Amino acid sequence: METRIGVYICHCGTNIGGVLDCEALAKFASKLPNVVVAKDYKYMCADPGQEMIKKDIKEFKLNRVVVASCSPRMHEPTFRKCVEEAGLNSFFFEMANIREQVSWCHYDSPKQAFDKAKDLIKAAVAKARLLTPLTPLKVPVEKRVLVIGGGVAGIHAALDLADMGFKVYLVEKEPTIGGWMALLDKTFPTLDCSICILGPKMVDVAKHSNIELFTYSEVLDIEGFVGNFKVRILKKPRYVEVDKCNACSECVNVCPVEVPNKFDGNLGWRKAIYIPFPQAVPPAYLIDEDACLGITPLACGKCQEVCREKGGDAINFDMHPEVLEVSVGAIIVATGYELYDPSKIKEYGYGVYQNVITCFELERLINSSGPTYGKVIRPSDGKEPKKVAFIQCVGSRDEKANVYCSGFCCMYTIKNAILLKEKHPETEIYIFYIDIRANFKGYEEFYRRAREEGIIFIRGKPAEISENPLTKNLTIYCEDLGLGKVISLEVDLVILSTAAIPRHGKDELARKLNIVTGSDGFYLEAHPKLKPIDAATDGVFLCGSAQGPKDIPYSVSQASAAAARAARILSKDYWEIEPIVAYIDESKCRNPKTKCGICATKCPYGAITVEPNKPARVEPAKCHGCGTCAADCPGDAITQMHFTDAQILSQIHAILEENPEEKILCFLCNWCSYAGADLAGTSRLTYPPNARAVRVMCSGRVDKDFVLEAFRLGAGMVLVSGCRLTEFGSDCHYITGNVNAKKRMKIVEKILEKAGISKERFRLEWISASEGDKYAKIIKEMAEKMKKLGKEKIIEENRKAEPFLEKILKKKIT
Amino acid sequence: MEQGEKLRKLKEIKRKALICFQCGVCVGSCPVAFVNEKYNPRRILRNFLFNQSPPQLNLSNLPWLCLHCYACLERCPQNIGLSEVMFKIQHLQFLNGEIPSSFLNAVKQIIKTGRVSPVTPITERRREQLNLPKIETETGVEELKKIIKETGLKKLLFSQEEEKRSG
């Protein structure tokens, strides 16, 4: 079919029309190949403008539309919808940005601005010629959801979704749900009893007809994508049948084995057959396989005997690990946190001095269902302490352990101090802190209450603790910053407020889910501000402390948010996916012959599978369309739809057709650098008009060949820019696209050096969407350098480099 | 050049002062602060937050009390390393001519004799009584002088002497 293009130049009032001669631009466009009609109009985005396009599509039988107006980041969706309404595929549309990147930033040099606008229109028409129709992918959605982790966050997410009518599978590693919260005594700042408020919720989970609970279970593996995850769950044997056990505890009395109880912070003891705590859900006992004298072959079996004697038959030694498979449409990760091991900080003597304990151990001592039934005692002699010190920030806010602030330790320390003071008002309590973080509702008031009740706060991080070997009392050495003096304080008991750290095994789960962790080790959200609940993989959501340390109210809010985000998918029958995904030409893929597999290692989303002797395969539903694989494929077998090699090369050719040695060709990523360039225009920052931008979704899409081809065609300068990449991390919208771009451009630099291209003619930069000034500055610098080098030298270098570059690019030039 | 050197040192110290969040673990760990209440390394560093240009530091002899035991670096949650900072402050003070006289005398003694403390007739008599061999005077002093000249220490010391004489 003949390609018939319509080009529309927008005046945007005087925004464009005041600087550029739009009529002349339309006249120029009308002479470009395949252009059937070219018009200019005051406001293309207004209804009459859109109607004009629709009318022309019918009248001139147009099958491609190009609009030269504002940034595609502004009105691309508007015009896509417009051409779709006229019966064209919405991807048969292309935009030339002559406002943000021409008239708004080059109003001081209208003649050069006009040349730039011509180039951009020419490039857009060139790309339009090669556009292909695309339809959004639709995947069916399983109306079920998996929640991993049964702490307070997981419980709330599960209940919310179950109440909405979705089937929920709740997987918990421990034999009971409830998490840390079930083990706490009271909660801050209201001092309501922790289990009293959580217990009923735990029972709700067990009773809810839409929730299937898997305790003592783990996620084995996960396959699939948004709407269609296949999950295998390993159910470990309890050796006690949950339905038959009535928790009478007769078995515990006869069990001969005693081991430390980790649910009591190892301060108390439990038997080999046990229940984690009285309010556990499901309310059933289980046998600890490692502690039991022997199950296969059976060594003791006393528990079974007594259970049968009492008329029950709950104990079953023939249980085996079971693997179950479920299909879900979305996954919520609520795996929570662990506590830092303070024995790593030698100067505090945890594990050496008996009377140095952790906050969690105190939490169990103070809890009436704990090992001492709520009596706080010194581990060395069982006596009640008269003088107690808390030390804050043990393992957090510390470059040597964890850099971040654990957030909730200040508040639980204040809570425990108040509880101690209320039980035994004569106890002297000291809290050593660096800063007190009390920044939510009622927290500051709670902090004041603690001071009013006589708790002494000392600003200063203790240097060390020493023990009196006879009394087992402890002396803390610390600078009191208020006094500016070093003090030594003898106390009976020291409590360390240990940092919250990511779960052991979080990396393994991250691999299974294909999500990433941040520099702090907690799971990373897709965007810190606007997608704080979504993980990088579509259909996976984060809540609670798995995403970073947080207290109960914050965890619960996040759990409800995660439930709502998941319901956004689950409530639909089909989920639509942008079709700008990667596509593999199986005949070109080298994997069957050479075991290549490079694409799979580059994909940040695990969307590509590579099996031996088979061509690589893309799962479109997992692909986010960054194009990194397409750029790194050594066989050029991968195409990113709507940003194909041919389309981008056609833009490069169009831009560099005339006087290439005077131009700076810029490859800018859509989310940051292109937006940054737009911002330079919006802020009316002027910069030299030699720059011409080619928009790609991600800097990871920029193929080596694009840069080399630009120089082969005689480009003066080339800039590649992506989202910010610093030593602190990457802002890339495709996680690691810019990291891959950086690696690739290092190779390009070497090739250019060999080709004899001056080093300063190629530049790699990281420009964020807010750095319009940086973009303008960089273009200014590059233009100055280009002037310094001189046209002659550039032409001479290019002439010499051409044969060398041609050799490398042989396969691309057709 | 000396001014530039001073500014650079000052900037390095200030950067550390900016990072410090004033927890005081260094002071609690410091063996000098334990016996001398006046010596507070945290406060010495904190003062640099407000020094905008190369000042006469007027820190007296305090920074020279640091033993460089590195206990503070071992425990500092922000890896500031006050021992290293104290070296920089001492260097800055040296450039400013704020050196404790005892320290300056020791340096001069080394340049002159190659020893920290002079060999007096009392020492010689005592050694004789103890049947110890006689001390050879001026061991390796020439080589030492060369080193001190090459490293620029001599020039620095000399110019300060000049300044003191003229001022």
Side-chain angles (χ1 to χ4, degrees):
Chain A
M1 197 173 75
E2 187 202 356
T3 305
R4 297 173 67 83
I5 307 175
V7 183
Y8 299 88
I9 318 287
C10 179
H11 291 242
C12 195
T14 55
N15 278 308
I16 297 170
V19 178
L20 301 170
D21 181 348
C22 294
E23 210 182 313
L25 282 174
K27 205 167 169 194
F28 161 79
S30 68
K31 291 186 185 126
L32 292 169
N34 297 87
V35 174
V36 181
V37 58
K39 291 179 178 171
D40 59 300
Y41 184 69
K42 215 152 183 69
Y43 290 106
M44 283 314 302
C45 62
D47 272 352
Q50 292 196 37
E51 281 310 312
M52 183 163 85
I53 295 173
K54 286 182 197 165
K55 212 176 111 225
D56 285 0
I57 289 173
K58 298 223 162 66
E59 195 177 322
F60 295 98
K61 295 197 169 55
L62 300 179
N63 50 22
R64 306 282 194 283
V65 171
V66 173
V67 173
S69 59
C70 51
S71 170
R73 290 175 51 85
M74 176 95 198
H75 270 318
E76 194 177 54
T78 315
F79 290 115
R80 272 193 183 164
K81 208 166 156 233
C82 165
V83 299
E84 198 173 20
E85 279 165 9
L88 277 187
N89 183 282
S90 62
F91 284 84
F92 275 151
F93 170 76
E94 188 60 27
M95 242 174 144
N97 182 352
I98 60 167
R99 191 178 75 173
E100 280 85 343
Q101 296 193 14
V102 183
S103 69
W104 276 357
C105 51
H106 305 315
Y107 51 84
D108 55 342
S109 44
K111 206 186 148 301
Q112 285 99 317
F114 186 74
D115 289 341
K116 181 172 177 180
K118 282 202 310 192
D119 277 1
L120 294 183
I121 293 167
K122 203 181 354 170
V125 170
K127 186 177 174 182
R129 234 175 271 140
L130 300 173
L131 290 175
T132 47
L134 300 172
T135 37
L137 300 163
K138 275 185 171 183
V139 290
V141 174
E142 283 279 1
K143 302 213 170 249
R144 282 174 289 214
V145 61
L146 170 73
V147 178
I148 309 173
V152 63
I155 287 172
H156 274 85
L159 284 173
D160 275 7
L161 284 160
D163 285 345
M164 289 181 219
F166 301 110
K167 173 90 187 170
V168 181
Y169 301 105
L170 178 57
V171 176
E172 168 58 53
K173 199 168 70 178
E174 300 296 344
T176 173
I177 56 169
W180 289 107
M181 188 181 167
L183 303 172
L184 307 180
D185 184 43
K186 301 267 170 27
T187 58
F188 58 79
T190 43
L191 292 186
D192 31 5
C193 157
S194 191
I195 196 69
C196 314
I197 53 176
L198 185 68
K201 295 271 178 192
M202 290 160 66
V203 175
D204 285 352
V205 167
K207 288 197 171 151
H208 207 296
S209 58
N210 277 339
I211 300 180
E212 197 168 325
L213 184 57
F214 297 97
T215 50
Y216 213 39
S217 302
E218 280 171 46
V219 170
L220 265 187
D221 47 46
I222 297 165
E223 265 175 39
F225 43 84
V226 55
N228 300 272
F229 294 103
K230 295 260 177 308
V231 186
R232 291 203 309 145
I233 299 164
L234 172 73
K235 221 175 148 182
K236 290 176 278 184
R238 292 177 81 108
Y239 301 106
V240 175
E241 291 189 31
V242 171
D243 318 332
K244 292 184 187 164
C245 176
N246 60 6
C248 68
S249 85
E250 292 291 342
C251 51
V252 172
N253 300 334
V254 298
C255 180
V257 188
E258 271 199 343
V259 287
N261 188 358
K262 75 165 180 179
F263 290 94
D264 281 341
N266 293 333
L267 288 175
W269 299 87
R270 66 159 168 84
K271 295 289 183 68
I273 187 161
Y274 73 107
I275 189 161
F277 47 86
Q279 305 86 346
V281 169
Y285 280 73
L286 76 153
I287 297 174
D288 175 353
E289 211 169 337
D290 299 328
C292 179
L293 293 174
I295 286 170
T296 42
L298 192 59
C300 157
K302 281 193 173 137
C303 48
Q304 192 177 36
E305 283 167 25
V306 76
C307 190
R308 281 181 181 157
E309 266 173 37
K310 298 285 167 187
D313 191 15
I315 296 168
N316 176 2
F317 291 112
D318 293 329
M319 280 186 163
H320 294 288
E322 269 180 89
V323 176
L324 301 130
E325 201 179 302
V326 296
S327 310
V328 294
I331 297 170
I332 291 176
V333 183
T335 46
Y337 66 97
E338 269 172 29
L339 289 170
Y340 177 79
D341 171 14
S343 66
K344 288 179 194 160
I345 299 176
K346 304 278 181 226
E347 53 267 34
Y348 291 164
Y350 178 79
V352 180
Y353 305 152
Q354 280 176 292
N355 292 332
V356 176
I357 63 171
T358 68
C359 54
F360 176 63
E361 287 161 359
L362 176 72
E363 200 72 66
R364 291 311 291 162
L365 288 177
I366 222 166
N367 191 316
S368 50
S369 63
T372 54
Y373 305 102
K375 207 172 151 200
V376 177
I377 51 166
R378 277 159 45 108
S380 68
D381 50 17
K383 285 187 188 146
E384 278 182 16
K386 299 278 169 245
K387 214 168 165 185
V388 177
F390 291 87
I391 298 179
Q392 296 305 104
C393 301
V394 177
S396 52
R397 303 186 73 199
D398 187 342
E399 295 276 333
K400 296 179 180 77
N402 300 293
V403 183
Y404 55 83
C405 165
S406 284
F408 52 73
C409 333
C410 284
M411 294 317 293
Y412 72 59
T413 294
I414 292 174
K415 175 201 73 180
N416 285 336
I418 288 178
L419 289 178
L420 259 176
K421 197 81 185 169
E422 286 185 347
K423 270 192 186 173
H424 307 285
E426 72 289 353
T427 315
E428 282 177 49
I429 300 176
Y430 300 88
I431 298 179
F432 290 90
Y433 70 98
I434 306 174
D435 296 292
I436 292 285
R437 305 260 153 112
N439 53 346
F440 285 108
K441 220 175 179 173
Y443 290 9
E444 185 63 32
E445 294 88 323
F446 196 57
Y447 173 29
R448 188 184 163 95
R449 176 174 160 190
R451 300 197 309 274
E452 280 169 353
E453 290 196 17
I455 292 156
I456 297 167
F457 287 80
I458 300 173
R459 178 156 150 75
K461 186 178 169 76
E464 60 186 76
I465 298 171
S466 67
E467 185 193 53
N468 180 334
L470 297 174
T471 60
K472 302 277 178 191
N473 284 354
L474 305 151
T475 305
I476 300 171
Y477 299 93
C478 178
E479 187 197 6
D480 178 330
L481 272 92
L483 295 173
K485 265 205 277 200
V486 180
I487 56 166
S488 57
L489 184 76
E490 194 181 320
V491 294
D492 304 338
L493 184 68
V494 170
I495 297 124
L496 306 177
S497 293
T498 46
I501 57 168
R503 279 263 178 216
H504 181 77
K506 41 113 187 164
D507 290 324
E508 204 188 327
L509 186 64
R511 260 195 304 281
K512 288 174 188 168
L513 284 160
N514 222 325
I515 61 177
V516 283
T517 52
S519 54
D520 55 3
F522 291 98
Y523 293 130
L524 190 65
E525 60 280 9
H527 190 279
K529 302 287 176 302
L530 300 177
K531 278 188 175 178
I533 304 293
D534 301 35
T537 297
D538 280 350
V540 180
F541 304 94
L542 310 171
C543 65
S545 292
Q547 184 256 352
K550 48 182 74 67
D551 58 21
I552 296 164
Y554 192 0
S555 291
V556 172
S557 327
Q558 245 192 359
S560 290
R565 291 293 291 170
R568 190 173 150 260
I569 295 170
L570 299 174
S571 59
K572 293 194 171 164
D573 295 330
Y574 291 92
W575 188 247
E576 268 192 20
I577 291 156
E578 265 272 305
I580 56 165
V581 294
Y583 162 82
I584 297 182
D585 182 343
E586 295 192 351
S587 66
K588 279 191 189 166
C589 180
R590 289 179 183 177
N591 193 54
K593 280 181 196 155
T594 59
K595 285 188 198 160
C596 166
I598 290 173
C599 48
T601 67
K602 300 287 175 186
C603 179
Y605 303 99
I608 305 182
T609 34
V610 176
E611 286 167 31
N613 303 323
K614 278 186 195 162
R617 202 167 47 78
V618 176
E619 179 48 67
K622 278 187 181 177
C623 177
H624 285 222
C626 63
T628 303
C629 56
D632 271 326
C633 176
D636 283 328
I638 310 182
T639 299
Q640 188 200 353
M641 304 316 266
H642 210 60
F643 291 89
T644 67
D645 281 4
Q647 286 166 358
I648 294 171
L649 286 169
S650 76
Q651 287 172 288
I652 299 171
H653 277 248
I655 288 169
L656 298 175
E657 201 172 51
E658 286 164 29
N659 308 327
E661 65 282 351
E662 292 171 6
K663 289 170 189 169
I664 305 168
L665 188 68
C666 312
F667 294 99
L668 307 180
C669 82
N670 176 61
W671 304 105
C672 284
S673 301
Y674 195 88
D678 278 355
L679 181 65
T682 316
S683 323
R684 305 300 198 277
L685 297 172
T686 57
Y687 52 88
N690 338 32
R692 310 277 188 272
V694 171
R695 184 172 70 120
V696 284
M697 290 313 283
C698 176
S699 56
R701 173 69 188 101
V702 183
D703 201 312
K704 287 198 283 282
D705 298 347
F706 297 165
V707 181
L708 302 180
E709 176 70 354
F711 282 115
R712 188 190 72 87
L713 293 170
M717 310 283 254
V718 173
L719 167 71
V720 173
S721 179
C723 299
R724 270 161 55 91
L725 178 63
T726 64
E727 55 186 304
F728 303 111
S730 152
D731 287 354
C732 181
H733 286 56
Y734 303 99
I735 309 167
T736 53
N738 53 1
V739 177
N740 281 319
K742 190 177 171 185
K743 279 186 202 153
R744 199 182 307 132
M745 292 310 143
K746 287 274 162 268
I747 302 169
V748 169
E749 277 168 9
K750 279 187 191 138
I751 298 174
L752 293 177
E753 198 186 327
K754 258 191 194 162
I757 302 281
S758 300
K759 215 175 160 187
E760 54 267 49
R761 291 181 56 199
F762 173 68
R763 202 158 159 178
L764 178 66
E765 281 292 342
W766 314 114
I767 303 170
S768 82
S770 62
E771 293 176 323
D773 54 336
K774 188 176 175 187
Y775 178 74
K777 193 178 132 235
I778 287 167
I779 297 297
K780 261 181 217 160
E781 283 172 11
M782 290 182 84
E784 265 162 36
K785 272 189 186 149
M786 189 160 70
K787 213 170 166 189
K788 223 176 182 179
L789 280 168
K791 211 166 160 180
E792 280 71 38
K793 184 165 168 33
I794 290 173
I795 293 175
E796 177 63 16
E797 272 186 10
N798 287 347
R799 197 181 54 76
K800 278 188 186 156
E802 203 183 325
F804 177 74
L805 293 173
E806 209 154 278
K807 222 168 102 192
I808 299 174
L809 291 162
K810 221 170 184 174
K811 53 184 193 300
K812 277 268 165 96
I813 311 160
T814 43
Chain B
M1 193 219 121
E2 205 181 272
Q3 201 68 8
E5 170 81 1
K6 277 191 206 172
L7 272 172
R8 198 171 55 78
K9 288 267 180 247
L10 198 68
K11 218 171 151 185
E12 283 172 20
I13 299 166
K14 195 172 172 184
R15 196 182 305 140
K16 296 283 185 184
L18 284 167
I19 289 169
C20 174
F21 63 23
Q22 302 286 321
C23 70
V25 79
C26 47
V27 185
S29 309
C30 181
V32 180
F34 192 73
V35 293
N36 183 348
E37 255 192 40
K38 279 188 193 145
Y39 180 74
N40 184 320
R42 174 186 59 77
R43 213 183 289 150
I44 291 175
L45 180 62
R46 178 116 187 126
N47 272 318
F48 279 83
L49 269 182
F50 309 104
N51 284 334
Q52 298 300 328
S53 58
Q56 285 298 315
L57 296 166
N58 298 325
L59 288 168
S60 73
N61 297 347
L62 285 175
W64 300 80
L65 293 178
C66 175
L67 290 173
H68 301 288
C69 70
Y70 287 84
C72 49
L73 175 63
E74 202 55 47
R75 290 176 186 168
C76 175
Q78 301 298 311
N79 282 341
I80 284 171
L82 274 168
S83 285
E84 306 284 338
V85 173
M86 288 306 162
F87 273 133
K88 286 189 180 129
I89 295 175
Q90 286 166 0
H91 195 167
L92 204 59
Q93 281 190 295
F94 188 87
L95 293 173
N96 268 342
E98 294 175 33
I99 319 164
S101 55
S102 61
F103 195 84
L104 199 63
N105 288 339
V107 176
K108 281 182 190 157
Q109 192 66 34
I110 292 171
I111 297 175
K112 217 160 92 187
T113 64
R115 296 180 212 286
V116 181
S117 53
V119 181
T120 57
I122 302 165
T123 323
E124 280 171 350
R125 221 176 308 140
R126 189 92 183 108
R127 287 182 72 91
E128 233 177 77
Q129 284 169 3
L130 290 167
N131 265 344
L132 289 167
K134 232 179 150 192
I135 300 170
E136 281 182 48
T137 40
E138 300 203 349
T139 322
V141 170
E142 283 316 306
E143 289 89 335
L144 194 68
K145 278 185 178 161
K146 227 184 235 171
I147 292 172
I148 283 166
K149 198 182 165 190
E150 290 294 313
T151 52
L153 180 62
K154 195 178 174 184
K155 204 180 149 196
L156 278 169
L157 280 170
F158 187 69
S159 69
Q160 275 174 11
E161 287 284 278
E162 288 276 274
E163 262 174 47
K164 268 192 188 163
R165 235 173 280 153
S166 60

